[in-house]
Amino acid sequence: MKGAFIFFGMSRMLSFIGALLLVPLAVSVYSGDGTASAFWPSLITTAAGAALFQVGGRTRKRQMPLTEGTALLFFAWFVLALVGAMPFVCAGILVPADAFTEGMAAFTTNGTFMSIEQVPATFRIWHILMEWAGALIFISFFVTVVPQVSNVFSFGLTGNNPFVFTTGLTRMFSFVKAVSIIYVFLTVLSCIAYTAAGLSFDTAVLQAMTTVSTGGTSLVPLVSQGLVAAAMIGMFLSSCNFLLLYRILRERSIRAFRFNTEIRVFAVLVIGATFLVAMNIRDGGLYPWSDSLRTALFHVLSFVSTTGFTGPEAVTFPEFDRLLLFLLVFVGGCVGSVTGGMRVLRFLILLKMTGRELLRTLHPQMVVNVKANNMSVPLPVISRVLNVFFLFTVMFFFSALVLSLAGLTPLQALGLAGAGLTGTSAAASLFETAELTALPVWAKLYYSFTMALGRMEIVAFFIVLQTGTHFLRRRW
């Protein structure tokens, strides 16, 4: 049956979300806050959808077709946003358009679209659960579907890579199991760090979930040194390749970590950006040297990991620092992490390819050989990296142009477009973007589309668009 893999993936995804819906429902019943009725429709719809999709997915093959995998990657985020929006609509907290944008912002770990302090505790819990689930679903896609789309899967790992991608479902499930173990492990580790920093256990659990997922929702002000340190540890680890972390955990050796080129480049990027920001805010007389370094490192990690934690001082940073932080969200973390952006490895391949092409200009007979993590990168992979970079750049400026029609200034439109595509709502706040709830309905929906576009690696959208166009041409 055509589409069986899509039905199978949707069934698994909705079953997982349905299980998570039981948490805010149980909290509501236990606390007696009267919000339980808002979660029942979403739970029933999710359960019914999972059952129906399960029936359609029974005839799936043991190999994943590219078109079906891409379609699943595309449609999943819109289905998730609808499921996430239902409790807010049923409770009368948000109108449908705002609720859909809130659901999309949470599942794509963009942050919070609404003011989270103004909603009941059960909805704060639901928002953070959506962030945590969205990041886990994304990383699961990244090790199963995305390798066929972007083809940089194997090059994020050091040589002698035990994780060789195949389209077989059995092999895919082993990858999902590996990244899920690391994801839960990092969440527990982050929870311990926040508890040691003085948070109560329940708050520490929720804050750990939003940190590891790079959702960027702050339940408490991150001002004390302990909380800042806990947040930085979580953001750094979430920016690393999860399969590489799993390999290190399994082999009980950091050798693979030390010899991974992408990790080293990421560390150099963080250190270099931290010193640039620290020196600039120190010269501006905002902080002493020690406070400047801590503040700079926190914000650099926050933006390069696309988490989006910001202190109240971020909007007072000099223009250079704000622009640098904005550019960092486009880089993102390592391939195989839960961060947004284009990933360090893609920029590394592009830089090396540019250097080789300049050398070949001087030496026309030279054979170009680009390596990443001691592995030669084939030309088809380089072509796909160029393709992703080009499409990302085009969609960034096109989205900014579209959003400017909502009355935003050029900088605000660029900031909001970047925030959507990279999954970092704080990027828009750097340019003092107005309250998002004041945007027209069409602008909110388009902003939701850009958030989904960033999470589906952009190429998936154009593959679905091309496939649909080809189908219509053939049909008519």
Side-chain angles (χ1 to χ4, degrees):
M1 176 183 175
K2 289 187 177 181
F5 183 82
I6 301 174
F7 297 144
F8 170 73
M10 287 289 188
S11 174
R12 289 294 185 94
M13 185 179 66
L14 290 178
S15 297
F16 177 53
I17 300 303
L20 289 181
L21 274 165
L22 294 174
V23 177
L25 182 61
V27 171
S28 177
V29 172
Y30 178 78
S31 62
D33 62 0
T35 61
S37 59
F39 291 96
W40 279 114
S42 187
L43 180 60
I44 294 171
T45 303
T46 302
L52 289 174
F53 283 129
Q54 178 64 28
V55 173
R58 287 177 180 174
T59 58
R60 69 185 183 278
K61 298 178 181 179
R62 299 188 65 83
Q63 300 285 327
M64 180 190 69
L66 173 61
T67 53
E68 292 188 18
T70 306
L72 175 63
L73 180 62
F74 175 77
F75 291 110
W77 302 108
F78 297 97
V79 173
L80 288 171
L82 288 171
V83 171
M86 288 182 66
F88 294 100
V89 175
C90 293
I93 294 176
L94 296 173
V95 297
D98 288 2
F100 179 80
T101 307
E102 168 63 22
M104 185 67 79
F107 276 114
T108 58
T109 67
N110 185 277
T112 178
F113 174 75
M114 61 181 182
S115 179
I116 199 168
E117 296 84 5
Q118 299 177 2
V119 298
T122 49
F123 287 92
R124 291 198 292 270
I125 293 173
W126 174 230
H127 172 85
I128 291 176
L129 286 173
M130 286 192 290
E131 289 180 339
W132 192 79
L136 181 56
I137 291 170
F138 167 74
I139 195 64
S140 298
F141 278 145
F142 206 94
V143 296
T144 54
V145 180
V146 173
Q148 284 203 88
V149 177
S150 64
N151 212 4
V152 294
F153 176 80
S154 299
F155 300 97
L157 300 163
T158 312
N160 301 319
N161 168 28
F163 302 102
V164 179
F165 174 76
T166 67
T167 57
L169 295 185
T170 303
R171 188 70 170 171
M172 287 183 179
F173 290 154
S174 67
F175 296 154
V176 173
K177 178 182 176 181
V179 295
S180 299
I181 290 172
I182 289 299
Y183 191 63
V184 173
F185 175 76
L186 293 183
T187 304
V188 173
L189 188 65
S190 182
C191 178
I192 294 172
Y194 277 119
T195 303
L199 292 185
S200 61
F201 178 73
D202 56 339
T203 305
V205 169
L206 294 174
Q207 193 63 47
M209 293 176 79
T210 189
T211 300
V212 173
S213 67
T214 69
T217 301
S218 297
L219 294 176
V220 294
L222 300 176
V223 291
S224 70
Q225 293 187 15
L227 291 177
V228 169
M232 289 193 293
I233 292 171
M235 289 187 291
F236 177 79
L237 291 175
S238 298
S239 302
C240 298
N241 188 319
F242 278 26
L243 286 177
L244 185 65
L245 293 177
Y246 180 78
R247 181 180 176 183
I248 291 169
L249 190 65
R250 189 179 65 178
E251 296 177 355
R252 299 180 181 179
S253 171
I254 62 171
R255 178 180 175 82
F257 197 83
R258 289 190 297 113
F259 290 96
N260 186 275
T261 306
E262 187 182 22
I263 289 290
R264 295 203 303 268
V265 172
F266 178 71
V268 170
L269 174 67
V270 170
I271 293 171
T274 297
F275 273 102
L276 286 174
V277 174
M279 286 189 296
N280 203 35
I281 60 177
R282 179 180 179 274
D283 292 343
L286 297 177
Y287 302 97
W289 183 244
S290 59
D291 291 343
S292 295
L293 278 175
R294 183 172 62 253
T295 302
L297 179 59
F298 172 76
H299 283 88
V300 166
L301 279 173
S302 176
F303 280 86
V304 78
S305 67
T306 67
T307 304
F309 288 140
T310 57
E313 65 276 1
V315 293
T316 65
F317 281 176
E319 298 294 337
F320 171 83
D321 298 322
R322 286 192 285 168
L323 182 57
L324 178 60
L325 293 176
F326 180 67
L327 294 176
L328 287 176
V329 302
F330 290 94
V331 179
C334 300
V335 165
S337 69
V338 294
T339 63
M342 286 185 282
R343 310 302 192 293
V344 172
L345 183 61
R346 288 196 178 105
F347 281 96
L348 182 62
I349 291 174
L350 285 173
L351 286 173
K352 287 191 173 185
M353 185 62 189
T354 302
R356 296 297 187 274
E357 285 298 325
L358 290 175
L359 284 176
R360 195 165 67 168
T361 302
L362 299 174
H363 307 282
Q365 303 303 318
M366 177 182 176
V367 177
V368 175
N369 183 24
V370 177
K371 286 189 173 183
N373 291 322
N374 298 319
M375 299 170 63
S376 295
V377 183
L379 283 178
V381 176
I382 296 174
S383 297
R384 293 199 184 187
V385 170
L386 289 169
N387 191 25
V388 170
F389 183 80
F390 172 75
L391 291 176
F392 198 101
T393 304
V394 168
M395 287 307 302
F396 168 62
F397 286 106
F398 176 77
S399 297
L401 191 63
V402 171
L403 291 170
S404 67
L405 295 174
L408 301 177
T409 66
L411 279 180
Q412 289 175 338
L414 288 169
L416 194 58
L421 290 173
T422 63
T424 318
S425 61
S429 66
L430 290 173
F431 302 107
E432 301 178 1
T433 303
E435 184 68 30
L436 297 182
T437 54
L439 293 174
V441 171
W442 68 264
K444 296 173 186 176
L445 295 178
Y446 186 82
Y447 180 53
S448 300
F449 171 71
T450 63
M451 289 188 275
L453 203 61
R455 251 354 191 181
M456 67 180 72
E457 290 286 293
I458 288 186
V459 179
F461 166 69
F462 288 95
I463 292 177
V464 170
L465 187 63
Q466 186 179 38
T467 303
T469 303
H470 177 71
F471 173 78
L472 291 176
R473 285 180 177 177
R474 188 177 57 184
R475 191 70 179 266
W476 293 100

